[in-house]
Amino acid sequence: MVESFVLNTGAIMPSVGLGTWQIEPEAVCNAIYAAVKSGYRHIDSAVAYRNQKEVGLALKKLFEDGVVKREDLFITSKLWSGNHAPEDVEDDISSALEDLQLDYIDLYLIHGPIRIKKGTMLIPENLIPTDIPATWRAMEKLYESGKARAIGVSNFSCKKVEDLLAIARVTPAVNQVECHPVWQQAKLRKLCLSTGIHLSAYSPLGSPGSPGYCGPSVLSNPIVIYIAEKLQKTPAQVALRWGLQMGQSVLPKSADETRIKENFDIFDWSIPEDFMAKFSGIKQARLLKIEFAVQPQSGYNSLEDLWDGEVEKENGRAECEDHSDFLRCFL
Ligand code: A2P
């Protein structure tokens, strides 16, 4: 039942996708090959992850080896923050299609409500304010052209989703956001459900050890561990299965074949209702705050502004203030 979700376009999105952020270019081919061999049919990529060409090589190999056909896979990519200008959006998807060696993308997302000057690197100095209505018009054209079979957004708060819905001719199919037991996105999930937008969870394991992430661990949360022990599953499996039962797709990242398989072994069991209820006892904290985007030149004057109030203020550690490691992932 939770093996896939139907998007508002009618397309079927497999519920577990392999995330590819921070997987080294030389490792991503093997990770994708192993994932697809293990049953994954959904790959989440982005030019920002600096490994998209290698994702394309993996796909080519899978098709050539006859492991799967193009139509068996659901591939997501994302608009680069420097290409928000309407006249740049088509070139952006063309370059993603070239990298991926595909002639259409199943889902194309505005990577975030964050924009930099065209042709520049993702560093605070290059930020400029977004013009989401103008960018969305160009995204709608991609959808009409068939190059993107569904379009959506990522990192959008409730307010940003509502603002977009007010001008959209094509309702976004997906909002891909940080979501896991420690940041459950209750308000956003409700809004997405009532407006026909599918909520997709990046960092469903809380991205242990990732630069830019700070706050409580998902995998060592006592409630997650308690449920894992009771069900004889791993904390990662419990976190992912919780996501599926909440109605969201999950995009765990791993470059390790054993963990890739473990993260997909979440279909033939479920978390009973009484255990599901226990997740509401977990203290909430957004782990990826993207502080670097709060700059006078971005138009965001505070984290409250960037996330429209949907951010915990209290649990940041001192290291969070140094976002250079996070930005290095994109340079
Ligand atoms: P690795 O690539 O060595 O498996 P998220 O998907 O929330 O962003 O988390 C990704 C991080 O979690 C990566 O560091 C990944 O490391 C690790 N990870 C992935 N799967 C598991 C798992 N089943 N158990 C523990 N850690 C995992």
Side-chain angles (χ1 to χ4, degrees):
M1 203 182 82
V2 288
E3 284 176 21
S4 58
F5 294 104
V6 182
L7 302 182
N8 61 16
T9 57
I12 292 174
M13 174 199 253
S15 59
V16 179
L18 182 75
T20 58
W21 180 45
Q22 292 192 98
I23 304 188
E24 293 297 329
E26 51 279 14
V28 82
C29 191
N30 283 346
I32 291 176
Y33 205 89
V36 173
K37 284 278 234 184
S38 310
Y40 288 64
R41 293 292 179 266
H42 176 175
I43 309 293
D44 182 68
S45 71
V47 69
Y49 304 160
R50 298 186 305 159
N51 56 12
Q52 200 167 238
K53 278 202 170 92
E54 290 76 10
V55 172
L57 291 174
L59 299 178
K60 182 166 183 262
K61 185 165 162 49
L62 284 161
F63 302 149
E64 282 176 357
D65 292 355
V67 180
V68 278
K69 297 200 273 295
R70 168 67 185 98
E71 57 270 29
D72 299 328
L73 294 184
F74 188 99
I75 311 292
T76 299
S77 186
K78 308 185 190 89
L79 180 75
W80 171 241
S81 314
N83 287 337
H84 273 216
E87 62 275 19
D88 296 329
V89 169
E90 189 168 0
D91 283 351
D92 190 87
I93 199 171
S94 297
S95 132
L97 287 168
E98 200 177 313
D99 280 357
L100 294 166
Q101 306 193 43
L102 300 176
D103 53 16
Y104 69 92
I105 287 174
D106 295 275
L107 175 64
Y108 209 56
L109 305 175
I110 297 181
H111 204 146
I114 291 171
R115 182 174 177 184
I116 52 171
K117 289 176 219 148
K118 184 180 180 180
T120 65
M121 291 189 301
L122 187 63
I123 52 172
E125 294 71 20
N126 296 330
L127 289 161
I128 53 174
T130 58
D131 180 355
I132 297 297
T135 305
W136 191 250
R137 289 275 168 269
M139 294 288 285
E140 289 175 327
K141 286 196 187 134
L142 295 186
Y143 177 62
E144 283 150 18
S145 75
K147 285 186 178 179
R149 295 210 170 164
I151 52 173
V153 292
S154 182
N155 294 303
F156 271 43
S157 64
C158 290
K159 179 177 184 305
K160 289 184 175 60
V161 169
E162 281 164 345
D163 290 349
L164 175 56
L165 288 173
I167 59 93
R169 286 192 288 253
V170 176
T171 299
V174 168
N175 186 13
Q176 189 191 112
V177 293
E178 176 187 344
C179 189
H180 44 70
V182 170
W183 189 242
Q184 298 180 15
Q185 299 274 20
K187 189 173 158 208
L188 188 62
R189 181 178 300 100
K190 201 167 157 203
L191 175 68
C192 287
L193 195 63
S194 67
T195 51
I197 301 172
H198 174 75
L199 192 144
S200 190
Y202 74 71
S203 299
L205 308 175
S207 281
S210 286
Y213 282 69
C214 45
S217 157
V218 171
L219 299 184
S220 47
N221 178 276
I223 293 178
V224 174
I225 290 178
Y226 170 83
I227 297 171
E229 283 171 1
K230 289 284 177 198
L231 299 179
Q232 300 193 311
K233 301 293 172 189
T234 66
Q237 289 173 319
V238 166
L240 296 171
R241 180 72 206 191
W242 168 84
L244 298 190
Q245 288 181 222
M246 293 303 286
Q248 63 220 28
S249 48
V250 290
L251 307 169
K253 298 186 287 283
S254 184
D256 175 90
E257 193 168 343
T258 308
R259 286 190 285 278
I260 287 172
K261 286 187 175 146
E262 175 186 326
N263 295 345
F264 199 71
D265 187 9
I266 56 172
F267 294 114
D268 60 355
W269 56 277
S270 63
I271 304 173
E273 277 312 307
D274 54 337
F275 284 169
M276 281 299 282
K278 291 189 186 297
F279 286 88
S280 61
I282 298 178
K283 187 173 176 328
Q284 296 296 290
R286 183 187 285 281
L287 302 185
L288 182 65
K289 300 190 185 64
I290 319 190
E291 280 107 333
F292 82 89
V294 176
Q295 305 287 340
Q297 63 274 23
S298 68
Y300 296 123
N301 298 314
S302 63
L303 280 177
E304 293 291 303
D305 216 6
L306 172 62
W307 297 109
D308 302 303
E310 296 165 21
V311 65
E312 291 286 302
K313 284 184 249 171
E314 296 303 326
N315 52 58
R317 297 193 308 251
E319 304 93 278
C320 295
E321 281 152 29
D322 178 9
H323 37 251
S324 51
D325 272 359
F326 174 71
L327 287 172
R328 247 193 299 280
C329 296
F330 300 99
L331 300 178

